Amino acid sequence: MSTLHTPSLLLGALAAATSVMLLSKRKPTIERFDVSSRFTDVARFRDLIFMSGQLGEGTTIEEQTASTLAGLEKALAQAGSDKTKILELTIWLSDLKDYDGMNQVYDKWITPGSPPPRACVQATLAKPEWKIEIRCIASV
């Protein structure tokens, strides 16, 4: 016994295949959060979140670190993510003497069992009162 394919079945399969091809060729969009004239604070592309450097308030490294991490966490939430989904974290310190003070705050902030890959370097930041800047890449 042979199986005959009717034209309607073939047309249905062709329509489904065409829909899949059209959907896969659709240009992905970039969603931007907190856009200024100079830069975007947070951008989401597909399932990835890219963040500009985050700065905090305060006079000590501990205050600025806590404030910066709180801002980073808020920005992640705005883009639909959280700190457990950070794929990469980059920290710039204006003075490596602040490394231990920064880590005292950072160690309390990270979620046990899921610390992200991290780099920490000394850099001259744009303003002398800034002690720390942090940026990250995360998943949704």
Side-chain angles (χ1 to χ4, degrees):
M1 179 188 277
S2 66
T3 305
L4 297 175
H5 296 286
T6 63
S8 62
L9 286 176
L10 291 174
L11 287 175
L14 181 59
T18 303
S19 295
V20 168
M21 285 180 11
L22 289 173
L23 286 174
S24 65
K25 290 184 179 183
R26 187 180 301 161
K27 186 177 179 180
T29 59
I30 299 171
E31 189 173 2
R32 299 176 190 278
F33 303 90
D34 295 328
V35 179
S36 72
S37 62
R38 189 168 288 158
F39 64 91
T40 296
D41 198 34
V42 181
R44 184 170 63 198
F45 178 74
R46 295 189 175 166
D47 289 340
L48 293 176
I49 297 167
F50 300 88
M51 193 172 297
S52 295
Q54 303 293 304
L55 300 163
E57 296 178 354
T59 55
T60 68
I61 188 61
E62 293 83 5
E63 291 169 342
Q64 286 192 22
T65 301
S67 178
T68 301
L69 291 171
L72 185 130
E73 202 163 352
K74 181 180 174 186
L76 285 170
Q78 181 182 21
S81 188
D82 63 62
K83 64 185 176 182
T84 66
K85 297 176 184 168
I86 295 174
L87 301 172
E88 178 185 29
L89 194 73
T90 305
I91 301 171
W92 293 276
L93 294 174
S94 62
D95 190 336
L96 283 179
K97 292 178 185 173
D98 288 331
Y99 185 75
D100 290 335
M102 177 273 299
N103 273 326
Q104 287 176 359
V105 176
Y106 175 84
D107 290 345
K108 293 175 187 170
W109 178 78
I110 60 171
T111 302
S114 64
R118 177 184 112 168
C120 182
V121 298
Q122 181 173 330
T124 302
L125 300 179
K127 293 187 178 181
E129 63 269 20
W130 293 346
K131 297 179 179 294
I132 186 169
E133 184 171 350
I134 303 175
R135 70 173 291 274
C136 78
I137 299 172
S139 67
V140 175

